[in-house]
Amino acid sequence: MGATLRQVAHEAGVSVATASRAFTKPDLVGERTRERILDIAARLDYAPNLAARALNTGRTQSVGIVVPDLMNPFYPSIVTGARRRASALGYSLLIADSEEDPAAELPILEEMARKVDGILLCSSRMGADSLARAQELGPLVLLNRRLAGVPSVSFDSTAAVQTAALHLRVMGHRRVAYVGGPASSTSNVERRDRIGQFFPPQGLEVVQVGDFEPSVDGGRAAADGVLSAGASAVLVYNDVMALGLMGRLIGYGLAIPRDLSVIGWDDIQFAELVSPALTTVRVPRERAGEEAMAYLDAVIRRGEPGEDRLLSTEFVFRSTTGRARPNLAPATPDADHPTKEST
């Protein structure tokens, strides 16, 4: 059973009236005090009276979140963070999945906008014109996507990519492949740009290996291109693809990282559980969900955007990267070689 408002107020060191205003009239409470009350409410599992708040504000007390693929482990963590903060703020959260279809996003937003006070749009694949139309539907915050004039919470990969480049150089690598995700993904474009910016100064030649669906099957499909590139290391668009790639390469008889070093992206739960454990870039997904929900609430209340949030990522060294093998030559899998897959 969740806590009472009195318990939240006591824990926060404020009056019950102040704690109540943090939910019903947040503009009357100082920002630090309000954030402290909301954090404590989330920790104690306090749920405000939504019906009473709706009467006070004239709002639905519901918000929506649209993600490209709920089966991708990247997104449930974001939804968890958004749900936690939404609950603390007194909102219910509606969830929609666009199934990696950019054309489906705007119709979903149009339908959802009639039922909610605001929407979080995660990793949108839509073009700028469609996003501008989406913003006209009501309060909107982008997550893992940036567009001038639209409130957003996104990730800064600069430090993580710089560290990855230094790590690979120290390990003796000189030729690195990049396995891209969907061509419509702005994250894919940004990662490619960052790699192109920071890898060559470390003496690393970068080979682009296509654009693939962000799934295990997408990673498997990239395997032959990675081998043909003659690289001693590969950086993959996301962890799920990296696991698929590793499974196919192990089926070809390669050992990781002896024959090829592999770096993923996201640090999903399974990245540390597979063997060998996946070296990757950690993205603060739950925190992003919380930050985006807090930002959306501010946009709903004020009617205008504040300052966008940019969250740092972190390079995480595990067991799939090691020293480069000398004299590595481009290779293709033997057609007669067994292709047992392992994920």
Side-chain angles (χ1 to χ4, degrees), residues 116-120 134-141 151 296 299-301 303:
V116 298
D117 296 328
I119 299 175
L120 299 176
Q135 194 178 19
E136 295 173 356
L137 298 172
L140 177 73
V141 170
L296 180 60
V299 174
I300 291 170
R301 288 188 290 104

Side-chain angles (χ1 to χ4, degrees), residues 52-245:
R53 186 177 173 190
L55 288 174
N56 287 335
T57 63
R59 299 181 184 137
T60 68
Q61 297 311 132
S62 297
V63 292
I65 183 169
V66 181
V67 301
D69 181 10
L70 275 172
M71 294 298 290
N72 185 328
F74 178 83
Y75 297 107
S77 296
I78 286 178
V79 172
T80 295
R83 184 210 57 78
R84 182 185 299 122
R85 180 50 62 95
S87 178
L89 288 165
Y91 295 99
S92 58
L93 183 67
L94 306 182
I95 305 169
D97 186 339
S98 64
E99 299 182 343
E100 290 287 353
D101 182 3
E105 290 185 34
L106 191 56
I108 289 173
L109 292 170
E110 290 170 339
E111 175 67 23
M112 183 177 278
R114 293 193 282 266
K115 304 173 183 177
V116 298
D117 296 328
I119 299 175
L120 299 176
L121 180 55
C122 189
S123 302
S124 176
R125 314 293 198 220
M126 289 193 297
D129 290 344
S130 294
L131 281 176
R133 290 174 58 193
Q135 194 178 19
E136 295 173 356
L137 298 172
L140 177 73
V141 170
L142 301 179
L143 208 168
N144 196 31
R145 173 76 187 269
R146 279 177 279 182
L147 184 67
V150 184
S152 68
V153 175
S154 55
F155 305 107
D156 182 2
S157 62
T158 300
V161 173
Q162 287 177 319
T163 303
L166 178 60
H167 170 71
L168 291 174
R169 180 183 66 78
V170 168
M171 289 292 181
H173 297 277
R174 295 295 178 264
R175 187 175 173 89
V176 181
Y178 174 66
V179 173
S184 58
S185 167
T186 58
S187 295
N188 186 43
V189 175
E190 289 176 2
R191 281 168 208 174
R192 194 172 267 138
D193 289 346
R194 288 288 181 271
I195 291 168
Q197 180 181 359
F198 295 117
F199 275 41
Q202 293 291 345
L204 301 172
E205 178 187 1
V206 180
V207 183
Q208 306 292 338
V209 185
D211 298 311
F212 298 86
E213 66 176 69
S215 65
V216 170
D217 286 341
R220 289 171 178 152
D224 289 1
V226 170
L227 289 179
S228 298
S232 60
V234 57
L235 195 152
V236 189
Y237 172 77
N238 69 19
D239 289 345
V240 174
M241 293 173 66
L243 297 180
L245 174 68

